[in-house]
Amino acid sequence: MTRSTLEFITCPKCNHQSGFTAYQSINATLAPELKQKIVDWELYKFSCLNCGEPRFVYYETLYHDMEHRLMLYYVPAMANREREQIKMEDVFSQIKQVEGDRYSNSFDTYNFRIVSDMEAFIEKVQIFDAGYDDRLVELMKFILAPKEEEDIQFSYDHMVFTKVGDDRYQFMFIYEKRAVASLKFSEEMYEHFQSEYSGLLDDSYFVDEAWAYGTIARG
Ligand SMILES: [Zn+2]
């Protein structure tokens, strides 16, 4: 279920107070317009009603995609050491509180994930929305990433899975928060990874580059 509260935020520029809707939980299947706002970087954007000054307001959100069986918990600006302190039982009880008994018996096959930055949040929303497994996508990024600087004509910090147009996807190379290049994502490539790596996938809550590294190292 989607749950929100109205907050009042004081503009840092003109001190005017404006209302802002904060979503503690989002059911993306029942409220697809909110999913789209996340993907468009709009949901966490606040604009002052007086002077128009825009800023981002980040807060914890539980994102639920019923269709693709995803429970994605966005906890902004979480440090690595704080990860271990998140008690998943607390998260589960929050989920049950929010979703009621409707889903409690069918959580077994759910994908539970935690992300701490907005880019990763949006990426996972898009991966699951497309019907893909984020673990395979992370392995693709890790293995397909050019490792030697001589191989490419640009520098980059990381890659991110992104939707382009209505039904195409690509990996964007991000450097200092800007996209500097892209790599085509194909269904064939994904299926290849699916047949090669499905046996390596575990039930981690944190599926990111570090997870991919650890998984390949162990595999
Ligand atoms: Zn203002």
Side-chain angles (χ1 to χ4, degrees):
M1 140 190 160
T2 296
R3 199 176 51 167
S4 64
T5 52
L6 181 63
E7 315 272 331
F8 286 91
I9 293 179
T10 304
C11 174
K13 208 172 160 189
C14 74
N15 278 330
H16 182 83
Q17 274 203 342
S18 306
F20 175 77
T21 306
Y23 292 88
Q24 288 76 41
S25 84
I26 291 171
N27 187 313
T29 311
L30 302 179
E33 70 281 3
L34 295 178
K35 172 178 66 188
Q36 192 55 44
K37 278 188 164 181
I38 294 171
V39 171
D40 294 339
W41 291 79
E42 286 297 328
L43 198 70
Y44 297 80
K45 196 192 272 173
F46 161 80
S47 291
C48 172
L49 289 176
N50 184 44
C51 74
E53 174 80 356
R55 59 180 283 218
F56 281 97
V57 182
Y58 299 120
Y59 53 87
E60 287 183 20
T61 303
L62 182 66
Y63 176 92
H64 182 189
D65 181 338
M66 289 159 71
E67 191 187 347
H68 302 102
R69 308 186 74 73
L70 169 69
M71 280 288 178
L72 177 58
Y73 193 32
Y74 168 58
V75 187
M78 180 176 45
N80 270 337
R81 61 185 162 74
E82 289 170 341
R83 284 184 167 197
E84 282 119 50
Q85 290 163 2
I86 291 194
K87 293 206 168 53
M88 286 315 294
E89 302 83 68
D90 295 348
V91 176
F92 289 135
S93 73
Q94 188 194 346
I95 290 166
K96 284 178 182 160
Q97 189 191 328
V98 170
E99 300 297 281
D101 294 332
R102 245 185 329 161
Y103 307 108
S104 55
N105 295 327
S106 57
F107 278 140
D108 290 357
T109 55
Y110 258 77
N111 299 286
F112 287 90
R113 297 288 186 270
I114 302 174
V115 289
S116 56
D117 72 85
M118 185 52 64
E119 188 182 63
F121 182 29
I122 292 172
E123 182 183 39
K124 294 227 184 283
V125 166
Q126 294 191 98
I127 290 171
F128 280 91
D129 194 44
Y132 296 123
D133 185 317
D134 63 330
R135 297 169 297 182
L136 289 169
V137 173
E138 281 302 331
L139 291 176
M140 288 174 84
K141 282 158 64 175
F142 186 73
I143 289 166
L144 299 174
K147 301 286 190 293
E148 305 296 329
E149 244 176 68
E150 299 88 69
D151 292 348
I152 45 172
Q153 303 299 313
F154 55 89
S155 302
Y156 72 98
D157 301 320
H158 60 279
M159 291 161 77
V160 61
F161 175 94
T162 317
K163 190 172 186 176
V164 263
D166 285 340
D167 57 355
R168 287 183 306 117
Y169 302 93
Q170 63 184 15
F171 292 111
M172 303 292 290
F173 291 89
I174 307 295
Y175 182 64
E176 291 178 348
K177 299 193 173 178
R178 283 189 313 117
V180 290
S182 66
L183 176 71
K184 195 173 174 282
F185 173 96
S186 74
E187 193 70 35
E188 296 74 39
M189 208 194 298
Y190 179 81
E191 283 167 10
H192 167 74
F193 273 78
Q194 202 168 25
S195 62
E196 288 287 309
Y197 296 102
S198 282
L200 294 181
L201 308 182
D202 61 21
D203 285 332
S204 181
Y205 298 126
F206 300 96
V207 174
D208 52 16
E209 191 181 355
W211 173 87
Y213 178 84
T215 300
I216 293 297
R218 277 193 310 274

